[in-house]
Amino acid sequence: MKNLKKIICPVDFSEPSDAALKSAVELAEQYSASIVLVHAITEIDPTPSPSYTLTHHLMDQIPQIMGQMTENAHKAMQDLIKNHIEERVPADHRVVIGDPAESIVELAENEEADLIVMSTHGRSGIKGLFFGSVAEKVVRSAACPVLTMRYKETS
């Protein structure tokens, strides 16, 4: 494997994401690399439906809701860095708004990342077909290697 300098690690604050973060930190330590955490927030279309009055009211609140979600994500990522990464490897974070897979790939390109380390949620069958897989989309379109970590729940 080539020398790693920068690792992108998408996080969604789930257990699978935490497991991938742990692996990303271990790799970063081994290669003296830095980590950039990324959390993608799917953009909500603020165009109200003309048939629902309640929807108009809720749609007016979308910018405030998105702002709060972004602020909460920044704080949660700062906590992740402080509690799991700080003093081990250099780390930074980004919160992006948009399609998660596209946002992760774009950030990796902009940051000239050497590797993306991310979890999969192990969805298969109808769930996997219906929801698709962010990890699968990233693997198919990223310019750099992608290490996916399948998370298995313990019963």
Side-chain angles (χ1 to χ4, degrees):
M1 180 179 271
K2 70 179 184 175
N3 190 22
L4 300 177
K5 295 178 184 169
K6 189 175 285 188
I7 299 171
I8 300 293
C9 185
V11 295
D12 64 4
F13 312 112
S14 65
E15 285 184 35
S17 172
D18 289 345
L21 175 58
K22 181 180 177 184
S23 295
V25 171
E26 290 170 2
L27 281 168
E29 285 179 316
Q30 182 178 353
Y31 286 93
S32 300
S34 64
I35 294 180
V36 177
L37 301 180
V38 59
H39 178 72
I41 299 172
T42 303
E43 189 169 19
I44 300 171
D45 182 4
T47 309
S49 169
S51 59
Y52 299 101
T53 307
L54 180 60
T55 304
H56 285 285
H57 175 70
L58 292 175
M59 292 308 209
D60 289 342
Q61 295 179 14
I62 286 177
Q64 180 182 358
I65 293 167
M66 294 298 290
Q68 188 63 50
M69 289 172 65
T70 301
E71 185 179 321
N72 291 344
H74 278 294
K75 183 177 180 340
M77 291 182 42
Q78 289 167 344
D79 290 344
L80 277 177
I81 290 172
K82 181 180 178 186
N83 297 326
H84 299 286
I85 303 173
E86 196 170 81
E87 298 179 16
R88 293 177 70 183
V89 295
D92 200 359
H93 74 277
R94 309 280 187 279
V95 175
V96 294
I97 297 176
D99 176 82
E102 290 175 12
S103 298
I104 292 163
V105 169
E106 184 177 326
L107 179 68
E109 289 173 5
N110 291 341
E111 292 285 335
E112 298 178 1
D114 300 300
L115 179 68
I116 299 170
V117 176
M118 65 188 302
S119 66
T120 66
H121 289 274
R123 290 188 188 105
S124 60
I126 297 297
K127 274 188 178 179
L129 180 64
F130 182 71
F131 291 109
S133 167
V134 172
E136 180 183 353
K137 291 174 186 173
V138 170
V139 167
R140 289 178 186 253
S141 56
C144 66
V146 180
L147 174 61
T148 58
M149 315 283 300
R150 183 158 190 251
Y151 180 78
K152 291 187 180 186
E153 290 186 34
T154 54
S155 307

